Amino acid sequence: DQQVKQNSPSLSVQEGRISILNCDYTNSMFDYFLWYKKYPAEGPTFLISISSIKDKNEDGRFTVFLNKSAKHLSLHIVPSQPGDSAVYFCAASAGTGTASKLTFGTGTRLQVTL
Amino acid sequence: EAEVAQSPRYKITEKSQAVAFWCDPISGHATLYWYRQILGQGPELLVQFQDESVVDDSQLPKDRFSAERLKGVDSTLKIQPAELGDSAMYLCASSFRGATHGYTFGSGTRLTVV
């Protein structure tokens, strides 16, 4: 049972344009969402997060939007740069505290072309 | 910047052999996680430690996998005997205050079972 879904395995965007990566979840208990970025042969690195009490969080070129009623979140990257080419994972957590853990989606491979 | 150390980076083993992975989390991080990432899929939690205690090992195949964190610092994940389907990236992560503050991942161990 995949509780966090990323239905687009890959995405290609031209440099300077907007990249939009989507994520859907099924577990209503999830209340914190994160995006991770992964380069080949490296571990994932934290990118940006959002609490369920918010609908938007922005950090530089990266913005995450949360639609709780639709159980959907998206990551916007503007403008996209070649160095953004990587696999992006959406992750979700239920509850807070030291016992909390992340459930990951299957990832979307972003390719930013010149 | 503090890092999560993992070794080895790459491991090739024959099926039915034993294999072990090591992880040293960031100093002071009480929570340690082992994830497995099969190619084309998202990371899947195998085991979660809080200090030296197992918090969640519900997805750990206990007939062949074992994990320990004896002194609440570094950790070892063992597979015995290895099977072809165990070929994956094994990722260790640590966290100071739980998943909602983000994990820090190590670079992972790429296991190939032949």
Side-chain angles (χ1 to χ4, degrees), chain A residues 16-106:
Chain A
R17 306 295 290 267
I18 183 172
S19 296
I20 300 176
L21 295 88
N22 293 303
C23 177
D24 298 291
Y25 62 96
T26 58
N27 189 339
S28 301
M29 300 301 291
F30 288 148
D31 56 5
Y32 206 85
F33 305 89
L34 304 89
W35 285 93
Y36 279 80
K37 176 179 178 180
K38 186 180 184 302
Y39 293 116
E42 295 183 13
T45 55
F46 170 74
L47 195 57
I48 192 169
S49 63
I50 187 167
S51 165
S52 60
I53 62 173
K54 295 185 176 181
D55 55 17
K56 176 182 174 182
N57 189 28
E58 189 172 355
D59 184 1
R61 297 186 296 114
F62 303 91
T63 303
V64 56
F65 296 92
L66 176 62
N67 182 335
K68 283 176 56 180
S69 60
K71 293 190 177 67
H72 177 85
L73 63 155
S74 61
L75 174 68
H76 292 210
I77 306 174
V78 181
S80 300
Q81 298 175 354
D84 296 330
S85 297
V87 177
Y88 289 78
F89 290 100
C90 171
S93 172
T96 58
T98 53
S100 56
K101 59 180 180 285
L102 296 179
T103 300
F104 286 84
T106 53

Side-chain angles (χ1 to χ4, degrees), chain B residues 40-98:
Chain B
Q41 300 183 20
E44 174 195 25
L45 181 68
L46 291 175
V47 62
Q48 177 183 356
F49 289 93
Q50 181 66 27
D51 299 310
E52 67 275 8
S53 300
V54 173
V55 174
D56 184 353
D57 65 355
S58 57
Q59 300 302 310
L60 188 72
K62 298 182 187 64
D63 56 337
R64 299 184 300 109
F65 285 65
S66 64
E68 60 183 17
R69 193 184 183 198
L70 293 176
K71 296 182 180 179
V73 180
D74 59 336
S75 176
T76 303
L77 178 69
K78 296 179 182 177
I79 309 175
Q80 182 174 16
E83 297 180 352
L84 296 177
D86 296 332
S87 295
M89 173 78 85
Y90 289 82
L91 294 161
C92 178
S94 69
S95 173
F96 177 61
R97 290 184 292 174

